[in-house]
Amino acid sequence: MELRGGTGARRRLTEIQSQLLAARHTTGLAQQALSERLGVASRTLRDWEKGYDSPSLKHLISWAYLLGFRLVIADPVISLECAPIVLKSGETLELHEMRRLTEPLWIRRKERKLSQGDLALLLGVSRASIQRWEDSEKFPQPVALIAWAGRLEYSVELNQATNVVDAPRLRPDEEAP
């Protein structure tokens, strides 16, 4: 199946990747150091930064977080709060953030009385994919998350971490754990 709304979503993902490149330059963090912290080859990060390739959602969440940002679901009408990160026992940062990102999408789908099957048809994916994404059983690709948000009249944005709880654990002068 071909993802519907994928062209605009790909463009938005490229913009996010460019914002993260600019943020890395601003912090003075070397590409090699960031790629090591992300657990990827430096050429992989280079390809993400240049828009030649796209990271997984797990990597995009980590990439943003390490540079002091969080992905958010944005509503053009109302401001959605970005709650502090409080991990449940055994929960990874990426899983926590995925749950936080999918919750407003699930709520909006329910408010609009759209079934998972109807939303799947609008997006060009399977109903099972929507179910796995909403249940945080599987991470969608970033372009699919952006298209999903767009279909529900939301957007995916980068927000600067604003408080101590949100602040990245790694800074350019710190050692990786």
Side-chain angles (χ1 to χ4, degrees), residues 31-175:
Q31 191 176 66
Q32 181 66 38
L34 181 57
S35 67
E36 287 173 7
R37 292 174 182 177
L38 287 168
V40 300
S42 63
R43 72 181 168 278
T44 299
L45 179 59
R46 180 202 63 217
D47 288 350
W48 294 346
E49 289 180 338
K50 292 184 180 243
Y52 298 151
D53 197 5
S54 301
S56 66
L57 185 56
K58 178 181 173 186
H59 281 115
L60 184 61
I61 289 168
S62 297
W63 183 14
Y65 183 74
L66 288 170
L67 293 171
F69 291 91
R70 291 176 76 188
L71 292 172
V72 295
I73 301 298
D75 186 321
V77 179
I78 60 169
S79 175
L80 299 175
E81 293 297 317
C82 192
I85 297 171
V86 179
L87 299 180
K88 295 177 184 174
S89 178
E91 184 178 54
T92 64
L93 168 73
E94 295 82 10
L95 180 57
H96 170 82
E97 290 293 274
M98 180 59 195
R99 288 177 201 238
R100 184 185 56 77
L101 291 167
T102 59
E103 184 178 10
L105 300 175
W106 176 82
I107 291 169
R108 176 70 56 98
R109 179 182 65 78
K110 292 291 199 174
E111 288 172 351
R112 298 210 169 159
K113 298 180 179 15
L114 276 173
S115 69
Q116 289 176 335
D118 291 341
L119 180 59
L121 285 173
L122 289 172
L123 287 173
V125 300
S126 70
R127 185 206 56 79
S129 291
I130 299 293
Q131 181 178 359
R132 285 191 298 266
W133 298 346
E134 287 184 345
D135 293 342
S136 299
E137 291 176 14
K138 184 169 175 27
F139 289 77
Q141 288 299 314
V143 71
L145 176 70
I146 294 166
W148 179 16
R151 283 292 178 177
L152 296 172
E153 297 178 13
Y154 282 136
S155 63
V156 177
E157 306 293 335
L158 280 177
N159 268 14
Q160 188 90 39
T162 56
N163 63 44
V164 176
V165 178
D166 287 348
R169 287 177 253 169
L170 297 174
R171 301 202 189 287
D173 57 343
E174 290 182 63
E175 291 293 317

